[in-house]
Amino acid sequence: MRREQVFEFFRRLAEANPSPTTELESSNPYQLLVAVVLSAQATDASVNIACRPLFARIKTPRQMVAYGEDALRDAIKTIGLFNTKAKNVIALSQALIDDNGGEVPRTREELQALPGVGRKTASVVLNTAFGEETFAVDTHVFRVCNRTGLAPGKNVDEVEAKLEKIVPQPFRRDAHHWLILHGRYTCKARLPECWRCPAIDLCRYQPKTLAPTSRPARTASRASSKARTAKAQTASKPKASRSRSRPNRLP
Ligand code: SF4
């Protein structure tokens, strides 16, 4: 995408959602860090379900260490990789107590030195808790950046480096959230919902997905037999057939 198209892409996502943020629930940077660690290869919704009762009683690293690995494992057992994650959360909580007075550090180096914290987790915490202009690339961001031509890359590092370079102000701080939410709810993995995408004319992905009402025959084959019969009857009338075949309004 050209520079002015990149600006317009984010302007439209910003217009549609002026205050984007993470869908992980937390009440302080420590809880956010734990939630992001738990969200690896799991959905935000599943993490929120497990963490609501946990975070109601655990708000600090000291409380987490006192809670203990066995209790934590039980509390998060509905989340994938819960054994390893419980170990990491207890270890990182102990490290925060030992090395940082129980506070979440504000530098990437310190964050990535914690057990279970990689570059993506550090980026999310730096961005969401501390307002840094970081570009965490998860599966949604990777897909949107490649499909659209916004920041194509063979791996997450390449995509992140391109985003660093091309995302303009005033969108740098929230770009990561806009891209995740766009990928999660509109530019979906299996079938992007191009017909309701605010950036459809800027995106290079082809062919664009048509609105369900504009899609041809194959959709109808899944309809109920009653609907199929009604459709067949209508199809025999030339005028009705024309009205059903709506023109494709997508570019
Ligand atoms: S037009 Fe379609 S493929 Fe392109 S960003 Fe929008 S939803 Fe994704």
Side-chain angles (χ1 to χ4, degrees), residues 9 144 147-148 182 186-188 192-195 197-201 203-205 208-209:
F9 182 89
V144 170
R147 261 185 190 163
T148 56
H182 187 59
T186 305
C187 194
K188 298 176 182 175
E193 299 183 357
C194 304
W195 71 89
C197 174
I200 187 168
D201 56 316
C203 167
R204 73 176 184 188
Y205 178 79
K208 301 287 195 291
T209 312

Side-chain angles (χ1 to χ4, degrees), residues 68-134:
E69 191 177 319
D70 290 345
L72 177 59
R73 190 183 301 116
D74 194 54
I76 64 169
K77 65 187 176 201
T78 52
I79 304 173
L81 308 176
F82 66 93
N83 273 314
T84 307
K85 288 175 181 176
K87 257 189 200 13
N88 283 336
V89 168
I90 295 296
L92 78 81
S93 301
Q94 188 64 59
L96 292 179
I97 296 166
D98 296 343
D99 305 333
N100 216 44
E103 298 294 317
V104 175
R106 289 173 170 247
T107 69
R108 178 179 295 285
E109 293 69 30
E110 291 172 293
L111 279 166
Q112 288 186 207
L114 295 168
V117 178
R119 184 173 179 85
K120 181 160 70 77
T121 298
S123 292
V124 174
V125 172
L126 288 169
N127 177 273
T128 307
F130 303 129
E132 300 282 337
E133 294 172 359
T134 56

Side-chain angles (χ1 to χ4, degrees), residues 40-60:
Q41 297 176 52
T43 64
D44 287 1
S46 72
V47 173
N48 288 338
I49 288 169
C51 284
R52 265 177 219 133
L54 179 70
F55 287 171
R57 57 187 297 182
I58 309 291
K59 299 187 191 316
T60 68

Side-chain angles (χ1 to χ4, degrees), residues 12-37:
R12 292 189 201 172
L13 294 189
E15 189 177 58
N17 183 4
S19 305
T21 189
T22 178
E23 294 187 320
L24 288 170
E25 296 169 7
S26 64
S27 64
N28 61 34
Y30 171 68
Q31 288 188 340
L32 176 68
L33 172 61
V34 172
V36 179
V37 167

